[in-house]
């Protein structure tokens, strides 16, 4: 459990560091590019998702098989799995990129609906295609690092990449190089990420050998039989963001694509802050399921939810309260349109985040067919609800469609989890177990919302003080009501770290 907690800590630390970077760089990008330019940057970024078409779920499968083979110290098998994935990726990525390069103008004008700055858009499409190839190969070595349960390393690499990318964005825009400069910056950082993951995969697993000639057809069959459903899930899931942006560009405007990009990025960063805590469950679940079966999996899920539910609920509630005031201060009153859709996206994300442990455990335990069915249904619900509500109620209705998708995913994931891990499993028991946290959140939110009408949050200082008061009140009530106990803190921090803090406190 301590290894899982350690990996979760580094994942959350990474997300905590990256979120402020996003907050700082976004208004700078908008000020330099304008709303339309930022929308163009977001829209052409869709092409990066093409790599999922040739992923075949192999990156996730590689994490699982590395974790399983490492448990038995079968390093020959790990090297064969890596080599097999590398060969498949190199062949398929090259073929797909040739198609993208050949039809680059058609993609820009006909598919993305870009009528201005077409040449710049074509350039960005080509750059995004190259970066996707580099990032996919880089992702294989990251999978090795994660499978070795060294997410501390992979999180440090991701953090460093985002920091260097943000610094590069600032420099190229300051120098006046515009969207083309952003494209070159993206390419440089992709290459640096590849080199870093390549080097540190050897650090995480010294027995690793990078040799394409270790390609094994039997390993491919093993990976593909597991990952085919993951691949189909990925193919279904990647349509959500690109299609949402394409729908918005056709229903509204390229500027609205930028608005959606900002709202979804806010929600994604906040969700990542929470979801990264659960990422360490994947290799841990693969290992535990191999050794102990379903009983150990359910124990893991209960612990994951027990330690995270109060924190997740508090974070989302606070964000929903302050986001309108923050956006006006952050981007200006012209972007107030983003507030309502952001709140709807947050509610949908909250519902899906609560089901994340169950979803990850289904995948890691080998029930990828279940996650495929879940994803296909969620994509269908997303497209129909976003398009339908968007036509009926405009941009705000589009956000309502995303909310419906998140709620639907929550119930569907938990239903499949219960089916696979026993009818006696109470998948919604955490709602009863955390009733004190839920009641505390609701009451505090109502009081806080009422106070905001008397004391408007019209400065960053007021937002900060409001947030500290909300968090402090919530933490005190949670502690006094024994939702989180001393023994829980020991598990979360680890016995050694807890003893250090306790010694400091008593001294």
């Amino acid at each position: 459990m301590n290894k899982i907690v350690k990996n979760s800590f580094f994942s959350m630390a990474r997300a905590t560091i990256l979120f402020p970077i996003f907050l700082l760089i976004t208004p700078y990008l908008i000020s330099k590019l304008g709303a339309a330019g930022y929308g163009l940057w977001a829209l052409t970024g869709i092409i990066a998702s093409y790599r999922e078409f040739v992923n075949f779920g192999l990156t996730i499968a590689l994490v699982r098989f590395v974790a399983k083979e490492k448990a038995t110290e079968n390093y020959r098998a790990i090297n064969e799995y890596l080599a097999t994935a590398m060969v498949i990726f190199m062949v398929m990525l090259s073929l797909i990129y040739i198609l993208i390069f050949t039809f680059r103008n058609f993609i820009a004008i006909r598919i993305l609906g870009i009528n201005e700055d077409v040449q710049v858009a074509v350039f960005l499409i080509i750059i995004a295609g190259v970066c996707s190839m580099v990032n996919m190969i880089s992702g294989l070595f990251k999978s090795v690092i994660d499978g070795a349960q060294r997410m501390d390393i992979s999180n440090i690499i991701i953090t460093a990449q985002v920091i260097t990318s943000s610094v590069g964005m600032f420099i190229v825009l300051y120098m006046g190089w515009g969207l083309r400069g952003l494209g070159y910056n993206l390419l440089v950082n992709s290459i640096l990420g590849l080199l870093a993951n390549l080097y540190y995969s050897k650090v995480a697993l010294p027995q690793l050998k990078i040799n394409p000639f270790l390609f094994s057809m039997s390993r491919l069959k093993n990976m593909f039989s597991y990952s085919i459903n993951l691949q189909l899930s990925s193919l279904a899931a990647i349509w959500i963001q690109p299609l949402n942006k394409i729908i918005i560009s056709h229903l509204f405007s390229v500027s609205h694509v930028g608005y959606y990009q900002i709202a979804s990025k806010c929600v994604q960063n906040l969700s990542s802050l929470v979801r990264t805590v659960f990422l360490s469950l994947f290799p841990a679940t693969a290992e535990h399921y191999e050794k102990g079966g379903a009983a150990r999996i359910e124990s893991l899920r209960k612990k994951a939810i027990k330690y995270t539910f109060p924190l997740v609920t508090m974070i989302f509630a606070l964000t929903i309260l302050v986001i309108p005031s923050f956006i006006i201060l952050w981007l200006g009153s012209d972007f107030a349109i983003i507030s309502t859709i952001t709140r709807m996206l947050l509610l949908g994300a909250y519902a899906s985040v609560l089901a994340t442990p169950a979803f990850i455990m289904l995948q890691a335990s080998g029930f990828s067919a279940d996650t495929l069915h879940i994803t296909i249904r969620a994509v269908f619900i997303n497209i129909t609800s976003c398009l339908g509500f968007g036509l009926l109620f405009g941009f705000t209705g589009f956000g309502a469609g995303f909310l419906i998708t998140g709620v639907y995913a929550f119930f569907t994931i938990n239903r499949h989890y219960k089916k696979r891990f026993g009818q006696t499993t109470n998948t919604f028991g955490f709602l009863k177990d955390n009733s004190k946290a839920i009641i505390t959140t609701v009451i505090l939110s109502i009081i806080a919302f009422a106070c905001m009408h008397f004391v408007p949050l019209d400065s960053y200082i007021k937002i900060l003080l409001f947030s500290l008061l909300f968090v402090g009140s919530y933490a005190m009530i949670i502690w006094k009501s024994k939702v989180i106990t001393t023994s829980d803190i020991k598990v979360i921090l680890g016995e050694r770290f807890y003893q250090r803090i306790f010694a400091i406190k008593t001294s």
Side-chain angles (χ1 to χ4, degrees), residues 314 317-322 325 343 439-457 462-463 465-471 473-474:
M314 183 269 292
L318 177 59
T319 306
I320 289 170
L321 284 170
V322 304
S325 300
R343 278 180 160 172
I439 294 171
T440 299
T441 304
V442 172
I443 294 174
L444 274 180
S445 297
I446 292 173
I447 295 172
F449 185 75
C451 291
M452 287 167 59
H453 285 276
F454 296 101
V455 184
L457 304 180
K462 288 183 179 180
I463 291 178
L465 292 175
F466 175 89
S467 300
L468 291 174
L469 182 61
F470 186 92
V471 171
S473 301
Y474 184 87

Side-chain angles (χ1 to χ4, degrees), residues 383-412:
I383 294 173
T384 54
S385 58
C386 286
L387 182 59
F389 280 92
L391 287 169
L392 291 173
F393 305 108
F395 194 49
T396 302
F398 183 90
F402 187 90
L403 168 58
I404 291 171
T405 305
V407 174
Y408 175 82
F410 171 82
F411 286 103
T412 305

Side-chain angles (χ1 to χ4, degrees), residues 315-377:
I315 290 174
F316 273 89
L318 177 59
T319 306
I320 289 170
L321 284 170
V322 304
I323 197 68
S325 300
F326 178 79
I327 286 177
I328 291 174
L329 288 170
W330 180 38
L331 301 174
S333 57
D334 292 341
F335 289 85
I337 187 176
I338 299 174
S339 300
T340 302
I341 192 172
T342 303
R343 278 180 160 172
M344 291 182 174
L345 296 182
L346 282 167
L347 288 170
Y350 174 68
S352 61
V353 162
L354 291 180
T356 298
F359 188 85
I360 290 175
M361 288 173 171
L362 281 169
Q363 282 192 333
S365 300
F367 300 113
S368 54
D370 291 55
T371 58
L372 169 61
H373 295 151
I374 293 166
T375 305
I376 290 175
R377 292 170 189 163

